Amino acid sequence: MQYDNMITRQRKWMFYLLAVIVLGAGLTPYPRIFLGLLLGASLSFYNLWLMQRKIKQFGQAIVENRSAKGIGSFTRLATAALAVLIALRFEEHFHLMAVIIGLVAYYFVIMMDFALFRSRD
Amino acid sequence: MGALAAAIAVGLAALGAGLGNGMIVSRTVEGIARQPELRGPLQTTMFIGVALVEAIPIFAVVIAFMVMGQ
């Protein structure tokens, strides 16, 4: 199914991105920036996973004529708040701007995936 | 004043996101109920739409917490 293929690809891209960031944190002389990116991208991955799961459950509920239980918007906003709170509390370890850039990593993944595979599916 | 600014920022952004999400979800429900075989493409469109709509409130939450933290 088109949707299942898309979520598998997006998770794969996020894993690649996280692997590159971990390498950057370990091997480059800028651990604070890469740790911030890692924190943001990890919570971004959680947001992506939650959105994929909730929308799949939502579609299933419509097809089976059940009532759907929301699409998890509030949880995603709370995740963003958690990332900023951690970055502000442990400022010596995490660069705040890097956390924010990491937090929007899943938009890049979604847009890249949409642009690259739009014609194939 | 920082708490007030944060509340206004998050509240207005969440209002906009709520309206946008509501429109996306209502059209998707309508579409899947009419043609259940189009569930895959409609879910994909809904996924991208919800992601784009929620970008602004996420940034609003980030800015609100930064304002409150200062």
Side-chain angles (χ1 to χ4, degrees):
Chain A
M1 201 173 124
Q2 183 187 351
Y3 185 73
D4 292 322
N5 292 339
M6 185 191 73
I7 62 177
T8 313
R9 278 196 314 262
Q10 287 172 350
R11 285 178 192 174
K12 191 177 75 180
W13 287 119
M14 279 304 284
F15 274 124
Y16 285 156
L17 182 68
L18 284 172
V20 169
I21 295 173
V22 169
L23 283 179
L27 301 176
T28 61
Y30 311 106
R32 191 166 161 254
I33 289 178
F34 277 99
L35 282 178
L37 278 175
L38 187 60
L39 173 69
S42 310
L43 289 171
S44 172
F45 194 11
Y46 171 69
N47 272 352
L48 180 72
W49 172 80
L50 185 76
M51 190 151 73
Q52 291 169 342
R53 186 166 164 267
K54 286 281 184 180
I55 289 179
K56 195 171 182 184
Q57 284 175 353
F58 186 80
Q60 192 70 32
I62 299 169
V63 169
E64 292 172 1
N65 214 0
R66 285 185 284 116
S67 64
K69 296 190 185 74
I71 52 172
S73 297
F74 191 77
T75 314
R76 287 195 286 279
L77 297 187
T79 310
L82 176 70
V84 178
L85 283 180
I86 293 174
L88 287 174
R89 174 70 182 75
F90 300 104
E91 214 166 1
E92 65 277 15
H93 298 298
F94 301 111
H95 194 273
L96 182 61
M97 284 303 139
V99 173
I100 295 169
I101 292 169
L103 205 55
V104 294
Y106 78 108
Y107 293 107
F108 294 114
V109 169
I110 289 173
M111 286 297 113
M112 287 295 288
D113 184 78
F114 181 65
L116 288 176
F117 293 93
R118 181 175 44 178
S119 54
R120 189 188 287 187
D121 281 334
Chain B
M1 287 304 265
L4 190 64
I8 290 172
V10 177
L12 287 180
L15 181 74
L19 287 172
N21 268 345
M23 289 163 92
I24 291 170
V25 167
S26 74
R27 294 299 159 94
T28 308
V29 170
E30 215 171 89
I32 297 180
R34 266 179 215 223
Q35 287 169 297
E37 70 273 11
L38 282 182
R39 183 183 154 196
L42 285 172
Q43 265 183 345
T44 307
T45 311
M46 178 183 166
F47 178 78
I48 294 167
V50 169
L52 290 180
V53 161
E54 280 185 2
I56 303 298
I58 283 179
F59 275 116
V61 168
V62 168
I63 290 170
F65 274 83
M66 283 166 69
V67 167
M68 275 172 67
Q70 281 174 356

